[in-house]
Amino acid sequence: MGRAVKRVVYDERHIAAKVREMGGAISAAYPEGDLLVLGLLKGSFIFLSDLVRQITRPLQVDFLVAASYGDNTFSSGNVRLLYDPETKLEGKHILLVEDIVDTGRTLGRLMDLLSARRPRSLEICALLHKHVAKELKYPVRFTGFDAPNEFLVGYGLDHAENFRHIPYIASLQ
Ligand code: IMP
Ligand code: MG
């Protein structure tokens, strides 16, 4: 699979406990109204599927596929949607679910785009947050782990599309 795993950063039990805690916090944060959980593909697919099963209030699930463009992919900060949610966002609580926040540029552009659709509320939930950016235009409302500034894989996160299926989160050599 290319590079080798260096160390396990968060094991399965650690992740499961955190996801349960986040599900509880999200359930409590939305006492009423329509909640749409929007997963940002591909990285959030495992986290999202575990997370929604820990949320004890009605919700709907959809996904976003975003593509960065420009010379240097993610650092350009330009984003366009390859798959746009089917559902209307207007009047709903939208919870955007991301695997990991690094510079926050991807999220910043996406949030601009989504807020223009007049949701009732718009918040970010990220399993991992590197806290690299000095200030984020849109702070992360629900964070799982404050992650080390290493390249992490597993539990949905990839390196060149590999390692997504690993059930724990590891850093690479
Ligand atoms: P940002 O726009 O710099 O915040 O980048 C966020 C995106 O970059 C995430 O959704 C991931 O797809 C990817 N990314 C950032 N850091 C890592 C990492 O440590 N491992 C795997 N993917 C990462
Ligand atoms: Mg990725």
Side-chain angles (χ1 to χ4, degrees):
M1 290 199 286
R3 286 161 69 178
V5 161
K6 184 164 74 182
R7 75 184 170 98
V8 176
V9 181
Y10 306 106
D11 66 22
E12 286 180 74
R13 282 181 55 186
H14 205 168
I15 295 170
K18 183 59 75 178
V19 172
R20 249 193 320 276
E21 188 187 308
M22 295 177 84
I26 291 165
S27 304
Y30 297 98
E32 44 87 38
D34 293 333
L35 173 62
L36 177 66
V37 179
L38 258 187
L40 183 50
L41 291 177
K42 299 175 199 170
S44 74
F45 82 111
I46 294 178
F47 172 45
L48 180 131
S49 65
D50 284 344
L51 180 69
V52 292
R53 285 177 286 176
Q54 299 298 330
I55 299 175
T56 53
R57 55 100 74 214
L59 58 80
Q60 295 184 343
V61 175
D62 209 331
F63 294 95
L64 281 177
V65 181
S68 302
Y69 58 95
D71 293 335
N72 37 11
T73 55
F74 271 100
S75 61
S76 72
N78 289 313
V79 103
R80 79 194 151 88
L81 296 183
L82 297 183
Y83 170 76
D84 208 345
E86 303 279 342
T87 350
K88 260 181 65 178
L89 305 193
E90 192 170 343
K92 294 177 182 163
H93 295 296
I94 308 299
L95 183 62
L96 185 58
V97 178
E98 169 71 307
D99 52 356
I100 185 163
V101 178
D102 187 1
T103 65
R105 287 195 188 105
T106 318
L107 274 177
R109 294 302 306 256
L110 273 178
M111 293 288 282
D112 285 344
L113 206 144
L114 296 176
S115 57
R117 299 183 186 180
R118 304 168 167 279
R120 177 166 169 187
S121 69
L122 179 58
E123 302 284 359
I124 300 165
C125 170
L127 178 64
L128 300 153
H129 195 329
K130 287 189 179 170
H131 295 282
V132 164
K134 291 287 162 283
E135 59 185 68
L136 293 177
K137 183 172 174 190
Y138 299 95
V140 179
R141 168 84 184 271
F142 304 97
T143 303
F145 299 109
D146 295 325
N149 196 8
E150 296 176 74
F151 199 83
L152 303 175
V153 296
Y155 199 70
L157 286 89
D158 74 304
H159 176 256
E161 294 301 327
N162 293 313
F163 303 104
R164 290 196 199 274
H165 68 294
I166 289 176
Y168 50 85
I169 294 170
S171 61
L172 287 188
Q173 291 285 349

